[in-house]
Amino acid sequence: FFFVSIFFRIGYWLLIMNPAVQEQFESAALAAAEIIENQIDEKLQKLDEMDDDELDRMREARLRQMKKAQEKKEEYVRNGHGVYSEISDQREFFDAAKKSSRMIVHFYRPTTWRCEVVDKHLETLCRTHYETKFVKVRIVPFRSLLTTIFRWMSHRSHMGCNKVVT
């Protein structure tokens, strides 16, 4: 943070004290604004040139897309997504992992305050990311499972699989 602050202070100082740098900055900002304005003008022109049939097709396509997204969200909710739940046994863990293509597991200890902080954040995230199942597993009863999972994850990460995040 300190170095970033110094960098911005030096950059600001150069911008204020050096008119050539200030002029280059202004011309670059103006060029970027013109490019964005041209892109928006092109999109508005295309919309103006569309007839009612084309607009209706776009509207229907968007409605189909929204209905499909809602159906997907309902499917996720049926599979237990959107709720931060605790898993108590290995069978339940593997069933949840099989039903979900994405799953975040928090292996926690009830006596560690940092785990409570992580729990609060995951509780918030699970309500907004329905595509991912969020669960927590208490470490003590799952020691053998943890050993197996970490062995499996390290094997997969050495093989170059991108789906497992360690």
Side-chain angles (χ1 to χ4, degrees):
F1 178 74
F2 176 74
F3 293 112
V4 172
S5 178
I6 295 280
F7 174 75
F8 282 117
R9 287 180 188 162
I10 291 172
Y12 181 73
W13 179 77
L14 285 175
L15 190 64
I16 298 296
M17 296 303 210
N18 191 343
V21 172
Q22 185 175 3
E23 189 175 317
Q24 287 177 344
F25 179 76
E26 288 174 356
S27 65
L30 183 62
E34 287 177 4
I35 291 171
I36 292 171
E37 184 179 3
N38 290 338
Q39 291 173 347
I40 291 173
D41 287 343
E42 288 174 11
K43 288 181 181 180
L44 286 174
Q45 185 178 1
K46 285 180 184 177
L47 284 173
D48 287 340
E49 292 173 357
M50 287 185 174
D51 60 355
D52 290 338
D53 292 337
E54 289 179 86
L55 289 173
D56 287 339
R57 280 192 295 259
M58 283 179 60
R59 190 175 297 118
E60 289 172 8
R62 178 64 180 141
L63 280 173
R64 281 193 304 271
Q65 183 183 22
M66 290 170 59
K67 285 179 183 179
K68 186 177 179 182
Q70 182 62 29
E71 289 171 1
K72 193 71 170 168
K73 182 179 176 182
E74 290 171 1
E75 179 186 339
Y76 286 141
V77 170
R78 281 193 302 272
N79 287 336
H81 292 233
V83 179
Y84 186 51
S85 57
E86 184 169 355
I87 292 182
S88 57
D89 66 349
Q90 291 185 14
R91 175 166 285 184
E92 188 180 356
F93 175 82
F94 286 113
D95 288 342
K98 288 176 188 175
K99 287 180 184 176
S100 302
S101 60
R102 295 180 182 174
M103 189 164 109
I104 292 181
V105 182
H106 175 210
F107 296 101
Y108 79 100
R109 287 192 183 119
T111 57
T112 306
W113 66 270
R114 283 180 238 100
C115 290
E116 293 176 13
V117 173
V118 171
D119 277 345
K120 288 179 185 177
H121 290 290
L122 292 177
E123 182 75 39
T124 304
L125 285 172
C126 76
R127 288 187 231 117
T128 56
H129 294 278
Y130 283 94
E131 70 280 359
T132 304
K133 184 168 180 76
F134 291 82
V135 297
K136 63 180 179 178
V137 175
R138 192 170 176 191
I139 289 178
V140 175
F142 280 82
R143 269 205 210 280
S144 62
L145 174 65
L146 286 174
T147 305
T148 305
I149 289 172
F150 288 134
R151 194 174 300 136
W152 177 76
M153 288 172 60
S154 66
H155 173 69
R156 292 201 30 119
S157 64
H158 289 300
M159 291 179 63
C161 296
N162 294 329
K163 292 186 178 182
V164 177
V165 178
T166 56

